[in-house]
Amino acid sequence: MAERFRPYVTVAAIIECRGKYALVSEYDEAPYPVFGQPAGHLEGREDLIDAVKREILEETGLSLEPQGLCGIYTYVKDNETIQRYCFYAVNDELPDDLTAKDPDHDIQTVAWYDREEIEKLKPQYRTRLVKHCFDDYFAGKRYPLDILKTIRP
C-alpha cells in the first residue's frame, strides 16, 4: 500500500509595530542563523487562528490577535508540500524587547527590524516563504479572517 500523502500545514505572523517587524532567528540546518516570521506547525485539534496566536506567544512573548491574512502559500520542495497561512497583526503599543517562550528551544533571538534591514537579510531567510509573505504584505495584500471557517462536531 502506498504511503498516504500529508502536507505540512504551517502558520506565520507578520507583526508590525511603528514601522518595524518582529523576526526570529534560529539555527536550522545552516551554520549561521536564519531569519523568519514567527511561525510553526498546526497542531492536532487546533484551528489556524489559535495556532498563529500560540506561535506568536511562543516565539515573541506577545499575546496578540491576528487582524487578517496576507496570503496562503503552497511550497513544494523535495518530497514535501508545505501549506502556509500568513497572518498579520499591527499594533503601535508593543514592547521594544521581545522574549521567546519557545518550548522547543529553537529560537536564538527575536527582535524588531525595519524594512531595509529585512531586505538585507534575504540571503539568510529560513525559507522562500519568508520573502513571499513579506512581498505580499508590503504590496498591501489583506484578507479578512472570516474567510477561514473551523467546523467542529
Side-chain angles (χ1 to χ4, degrees):
M1 178 177 227
E3 186 176 326
R4 185 172 171 201
F5 168 72
R6 294 178 189 204
Y8 293 98
V9 177
T10 65
V11 295
I14 293 178
I15 303 168
E16 180 180 359
C17 181
R18 299 182 301 274
K20 294 201 172 195
Y21 305 86
L23 286 181
V24 298
S25 71
E26 59 187 304
Y27 287 93
D28 191 23
E29 296 173 9
Y32 51 84
V34 292
F35 292 85
Q37 297 99 3
H41 292 275
L42 180 69
E43 294 182 357
R45 303 195 54 77
E46 187 174 53
D47 71 23
L48 294 165
I49 294 172
D50 288 341
V52 76
K53 288 166 42 176
R54 176 184 49 76
E55 289 294 343
I56 290 169
L57 181 61
E58 288 177 1
E59 297 195 4
T60 69
L62 298 172
S63 181
L64 293 176
E65 292 287 331
Q67 293 160 315
L69 281 165
C70 60
I72 301 171
Y73 310 86
T74 302
Y75 181 34
V76 180
K77 68 173 197 164
D78 304 324
N79 292 324
E80 65 185 17
T81 300
I82 299 167
Q83 186 80 52
R84 172 169 285 189
Y85 295 80
C86 187
F87 295 83
Y88 67 89
V90 180
N91 190 322
D92 288 336
E93 303 298 324
L94 298 176
D96 291 331
D97 294 324
L98 301 173
T99 305
K101 299 177 179 182
D102 177 25
D104 300 324
H105 307 291
D106 293 330
I107 303 301
Q108 298 298 310
T109 63
V110 56
W112 297 106
Y113 296 83
D114 64 31
R115 192 169 173 175
E116 184 177 307
E117 292 168 319
I118 290 169
E119 290 289 322
K120 289 179 183 175
L121 288 171
K122 274 185 187 176
Q124 289 178 261
Y125 284 171
R126 187 168 190 267
T127 72
R128 293 178 185 174
L129 291 167
V130 174
K131 176 193 179 311
H132 290 284
C133 291
F134 273 123
D135 286 350
D136 285 347
Y137 184 79
F138 293 145
K141 295 188 179 177
R142 307 287 189 275
Y143 306 96
L145 291 175
D146 66 4
I147 65 171
L148 301 173
K149 305 285 185 219
T150 299
I151 312 303
R152 298 193 189 269

